[in-house]
Amino acid sequence: MDWLKQTIDLGVIGVLVTMSIIALSVILERALFYRQLTLTDYTSKKALELALTRRLHIIATIGSNAPFIGLLGTVLGIMLTFYTMGQQGAVDTHAIMTGLALALKVTAIGLVIAIPTVAFYNVLIRRAKEMLLEWEIHHEREGI
């Protein structure tokens, strides 16, 4: 059953690492885009809003789902621990605690990915709203 435990661990952790790389890539891309954006290039508020919010849903999805994927890994790890206990027929507290501790690490990884991802999402959303308001203020001043 060790192969199954490693498959679960590596599979779930692999998914979480992939999600974190995708989130980091989108966060960096959006931050660079916001830094280089010239508001006067846009004549339509809707076009600006579309450009500002592009791909933000990816960050939100990863941030909200990473803990659940981590929890799935934990549940699978706990199930595997109980299965192993049942197959061995003896209750070894050392093996149980080790199995449960290893299972919980996946939830911790999911939280480590989710917390900063959600924080960055909120920062990017706030910056997008600020830029939209700056665009509106500029167009009001210009009488456009």
Side-chain angles (χ1 to χ4, degrees), residues 127-140:
R127 184 65 187 131
K129 288 178 181 180
E130 288 173 357
M131 294 176 88
L132 281 168
L133 290 173
E134 289 171 9
W135 183 89
E136 284 182 10
I137 292 168
H138 172 75
H139 278 73
E140 286 176 4

Side-chain angles (χ1 to χ4, degrees), residues 22-69:
I22 292 169
L24 184 60
S25 299
V26 174
I27 289 166
L28 291 174
E29 184 274 330
R30 291 285 83 197
L32 290 173
F33 177 76
Y34 291 172
R35 181 174 286 176
Q36 297 173 351
L37 182 73
T38 305
L39 294 176
T40 55
D41 289 348
Y42 291 87
T43 56
S44 165
K45 180 181 175 187
K46 290 183 182 199
L48 175 61
E49 186 173 3
L50 188 62
L52 289 172
T53 59
R54 187 169 286 127
R55 286 185 284 283
L56 290 181
H57 67 283
I58 295 170
I59 302 169
T61 302
I62 290 172
S64 62
N65 285 300
F68 295 119
I69 293 172

Side-chain angles (χ1 to χ4, degrees), residues 100-117:
L100 295 178
L102 292 175
L104 288 171
K105 77 178 174 193
V106 187
T107 295
I109 292 170
L111 291 172
V112 165
I113 292 168
I115 293 167
T117 301

Side-chain angles (χ1 to χ4, degrees), residues 2-31:
D2 267 351
W3 67 270
L4 183 58
K5 180 188 166 306
Q6 290 179 349
T7 302
I8 291 170
D9 266 358
L10 294 178
V12 173
I13 291 173
V15 168
L16 287 169
V17 167
T18 301
M19 289 171 65
S20 69
I21 291 168
I22 292 169
L24 184 60
S25 299
V26 174
I27 289 166
L28 291 174
E29 184 274 330
R30 291 285 83 197

Side-chain angles (χ1 to χ4, degrees), residues 84-101:
T84 303
M85 286 173 22
Q87 290 297 314
Q88 293 175 352
V91 179
D92 177 15
T93 55
H94 180 267
I96 294 169
M97 293 304 139
T98 302
L100 295 178

